[in-house]
Amino acid sequence: MPDGSLDPTFNGGGAGTLTDGGDVNDIELLPDGRILIAGTFAQYNGVQRRGVARLLANGELDMSFVPPGSSLYNFNDLEVLPDGRILLVGGGVGTGLIRCLGPDGALIALLYPGGYASNTVESVAVGTDGQIVVGGSFIHIAGVGRNRIARLFGGDVTPSILVAAKVHLGGAFDADAGLMHDTLRAAALVPPSEPYTALPYAFAGGGGELTVPAVLATTGNNAIVDWVVVELRAAGDPTSVLASRSALVQRDGDVVDLNGISAVYFNLPPGNYHVAIRHRNHLGVMSATPLALSSAPTVIDFTGPATPTWGTDACQNVNGTMVLWPGDANFDGEVKYTGANNDRDVVLQAVGGSTPNNIVTGYWGADVNLDGQVKYTGSNNDR
């Protein structure tokens, strides 16, 4: 509290929170209010989190951050890199650890051969040039003599890509405001977990992404509209999806990672890739040519008429703003009114088939204008 007294609303204190006599050795506050902790614990509030965990702003465990299990979980220090990656150092007598995790907790690398120093690594710092400095009780790292302090090259060991895309969904776009509406979010209909696995969509390395209530509570231009899929495709074969994962799109069109702020992270080496954005009831869009992507966020604005896109009329021009074509209610990459696998029947089935004047509410693929209702006739209908 402001006067230094204990905050009774924070879930992080109290007996039994950490198990195995574990300690918290380092804490990092993230820009979105969440908290990273590192130490010698094995569990947090009964859930396995071996040495590292991410907490919500109120101290509850962030279940969307799942670090790898390990018998070696004594961490002394952590550092968050600008692209969201996390460096952890620690270990014990005879074993020093240097680990790199992705923003979701997945293990990216055991830094340097085996990831070990000869003894405990106590601290880590990262310079503006991307180099990593570690200190501790070691006398060598990967067999090379380094007495208690060493500098490591970080830029070429844990490659990553950040994509800062912008896209507008035609069904939710308000041409007068120049923004999408966030009716689904305001009605608490945007799910905390990605919907694409259930459609089904075959992810390439992603899937199962989760966000937290604080992100979905954001209002204004950065309010969340819905989930999208970001794909990175091969430069020489744009039909080949090399990586895909779910992300969130804001009212102003920014496609952001699960924290509702950052550019979208991929654990792929920097290089040239086609970038594609897909949505559950809109036709997707892809860059016409491969883009040079790296750990510095690469901006691609699909809302601008001058942005080259794959194919003919990939987006709809609404008063000078490009938006994704709505109406793909069955997520098959086509918009059809009649015939096999058409999108009209999906709307009819949602409202009861033989009762086209009926209205249903909820998070539906047939809700192509993202207003939380499926209607076949009348104003704001989905047909």
Side-chain angles (χ1 to χ4, degrees):
M1 302 297 284
D3 61 357
S5 60
L6 183 67
D7 182 353
T9 67
F10 188 79
N11 191 49
T17 299
L18 302 175
T19 63
D20 294 355
D23 297 320
V24 175
N25 293 330
D26 192 24
I27 299 173
E28 292 284 341
L29 300 179
L30 302 176
D32 62 2
R34 289 185 285 185
I35 306 161
L36 276 170
I37 60 173
T40 59
F41 49 87
Q43 295 182 1
Y44 187 92
N45 282 347
V47 180
Q48 179 174 301
R49 289 293 184 271
R50 305 184 74 85
V52 59
R54 189 168 66 196
L55 314 181
L56 306 180
N58 63 2
E60 295 180 5
L61 184 64
D62 181 353
M63 299 301 291
S64 68
F65 181 85
V66 184
S70 172
S71 59
L72 300 171
Y73 54 89
N74 296 331
F75 292 117
N76 299 318
D77 194 14
L78 68 89
E79 184 82 16
V80 181
L81 301 178
D83 63 6
R85 291 176 295 160
I86 302 161
L87 288 177
L88 290 160
V89 298
V93 176
T95 305
L97 302 177
I98 307 172
R99 298 286 187 267
C100 185
L101 307 183
D104 58 356
L107 179 66
I108 295 177
L110 312 176
L111 291 193
Y112 301 90
Y116 296 109
S118 62
N119 217 322
T120 306
V121 183
E122 300 288 351
S123 60
V124 59
V126 180
T128 56
D129 57 1
Q131 292 182 329
I132 302 164
V133 178
V134 294
S137 56
F138 53 85
I139 58 174
H140 65 75
I141 293 180
V144 179
R146 287 295 184 270
N147 194 10
R148 272 65 177 183
I149 189 168
R151 186 171 65 188
L152 315 176
F153 293 104
D156 59 351
V157 178
T158 56
S160 64
I161 283 174
L162 286 175
V163 177
K166 187 169 184 176
V167 70
H168 279 311
L169 308 176
F173 185 65
D174 182 341
D176 293 331
L179 301 166
M180 290 177 284
H181 63 70
D182 62 334
T183 309
L184 291 180
R185 184 208 61 80
L189 292 176
V190 178
S193 58
E194 55 85 8
Y196 294 97
T197 298
L199 283 179
Y201 170 81
F203 281 95
E209 288 85 5
L210 298 167
T211 191
V212 294
V215 171
L216 297 178
T218 300
T219 58
N221 291 359
N222 291 332
I224 300 303
V225 174
D226 202 2
W227 289 90
V228 295
V229 170
V230 183
E231 297 176 338
L232 300 188
R233 300 188 175 208
D237 179 9
T239 66
S240 174
V241 179
L242 302 179
S244 62
R245 54 173 308 212
S246 299
L248 299 161
V249 61
Q250 300 174 338
R251 290 189 66 204
D252 59 6
D254 291 338
V255 178
V256 294
D257 218 318
L258 306 179
N259 62 5
I261 300 173
S262 305
V264 181
Y265 170 88
F266 287 91
N267 182 28
L268 284 181
N272 296 325
Y273 302 86
H274 287 274
V275 176
I277 307 291
R278 301 186 65 182
H279 182 259
R280 60 193 174 90
N281 54 31
H282 287 65
L283 297 182
V285 64
M286 183 172 68
S287 60
T289 59
L291 304 174
L293 306 181
S294 68
S295 58
T298 300
V299 177
I300 176 168
D301 185 358
F302 288 113
T303 71
T307 300
T309 54
W310 186 272
T312 303
D313 294 329
C315 293
Q316 179 185 11
N317 191 323
V318 178
N319 297 337
T321 298
M322 308 307 290
V323 303
L324 299 192
W325 291 98
D328 184 16
N330 59 11
F331 194 62
D332 66 352
E334 296 182 328
V335 176
K336 297 174 62 177
Y337 190 73
T338 60
N341 300 317
N342 69 72
D343 299 284
R344 178 192 62 173
D345 287 349
V346 177
V347 179
L348 278 172
Q349 290 164 8
V351 298
S354 60
T355 54
N357 293 322
N358 190 27
I359 299 172
V360 294
T361 61
Y363 191 75
W364 295 80
D367 177 23
V368 297
N369 60 13
L370 305 189
D371 64 353
Q373 295 184 329
V374 180
K375 300 171 63 178
Y376 190 76
T377 61
S379 62
N380 299 320
N381 69 71
D382 299 283
R383 179 186 60 168

